[in-house]
Amino acid sequence: VQLQASGGGLVQAGGSLRLSCAASGRTLVGYALGWFRQTPGKDREFVASITWPGGTTTYTDSVKGRFTSSRDNGKKTVYLQMNSLKPEDTAVYFCAARHTRAGSSWNSWGQGTLVTVSS
């Protein structure tokens, strides 16, 4: 699966951004697409994921109630709607894919998109 992330930018605290991740190369049935973020000197952190085609979503605690992951089946694109952004959400955001069978790893990665939240 090839992934292309976009939508990052600069926003003030309390604002919103929507990230997009376009997938290509194969069917996404049986896959989960996820969002991760990373800041300098820190490990990459899981943010959210959504399964295909079921649409089951998972979020890390720090973004629950603020971020929403959704998908467009026809466009093979997933979105991360980020509301009530905080300066601590500043990071490079990556999308990734893995099969949903047990033991599968996130083994397809898109390039990152930078999100900067100013206070």
Side-chain angles (χ1 to χ4, degrees):
V1 178
Q2 289 79 49
L3 303 170
Q4 180 78 27
S6 62
L10 173 64
V11 64
Q12 288 189 329
S16 299
L17 278 176
R18 189 178 80 159
L19 305 183
S20 301
C21 178
S24 62
R26 60 157 296 147
T27 178
L28 295 178
V29 173
Y31 276 75
L33 269 70
W35 292 96
F36 292 74
R37 63 188 180 187
Q38 189 170 25
T39 54
K42 293 188 177 181
D43 292 336
R44 196 167 292 187
E45 172 192 28
F46 171 81
V47 176
S49 67
I50 187 167
T51 62
W52 214 287
T56 300
T57 54
T58 306
Y59 302 94
T60 192
D61 286 346
S62 63
V63 308
K64 285 180 180 176
R66 300 189 297 123
F67 290 11
T68 303
S69 183
S70 62
R71 73 201 192 287
D72 184 320
N73 292 342
K75 294 182 179 179
K76 293 176 67 176
T77 299
V78 295
Y79 304 98
L80 186 67
Q81 178 66 44
M82 305 186 294
N83 299 329
S84 302
L85 281 162
K86 304 175 181 179
E88 52 263 43
D89 294 318
T90 295
V92 177
Y93 284 71
F94 300 86
C95 60
R98 68 171 180 84
H99 200 277
T100 54
R101 60 177 173 262
S104 296
S105 61
W106 298 97
N107 55 12
S108 296
W109 292 86
Q111 89 292 355
T113 185
L114 177 62
V115 172
T116 304
V117 184
S118 63
S119 56

